[in-house]
Amino acid sequence: MKQMSSLAYHFGIKLRFYPSSKQKKIIKLNYDAQRFVYNSYVR
């Protein structure tokens, strides 16, 4: 099997999503928690 680095091109998928208001709140909550954990390790 070939390695990805040996191929001439790398292909990906572009996705666009439209979250509902409830999903936006969940995404924000997860992002804020991730930022808190990152900042606690950096400091």
Side-chain angles (χ1 to χ4, degrees):
M1 179 174 264
K2 291 184 179 180
Q3 296 291 325
M4 286 297 292
S5 59
S6 68
L7 299 174
Y9 296 98
H10 297 279
F11 294 96
I13 299 172
K14 284 188 177 182
L15 296 176
R16 181 174 285 185
F17 64 99
Y18 302 95
S20 66
S21 296
K22 185 177 179 182
Q23 290 170 330
K24 286 179 185 178
K25 289 178 185 176
I26 294 170
I27 291 168
K28 183 180 182 327
L29 185 69
N30 285 322
Y31 181 74
D32 290 344
Q34 176 267 328
R35 188 177 59 216
F36 173 78
V37 171
Y38 175 81
N39 287 335
S40 66
Y41 277 105
V42 170
R43 294 179 188 185

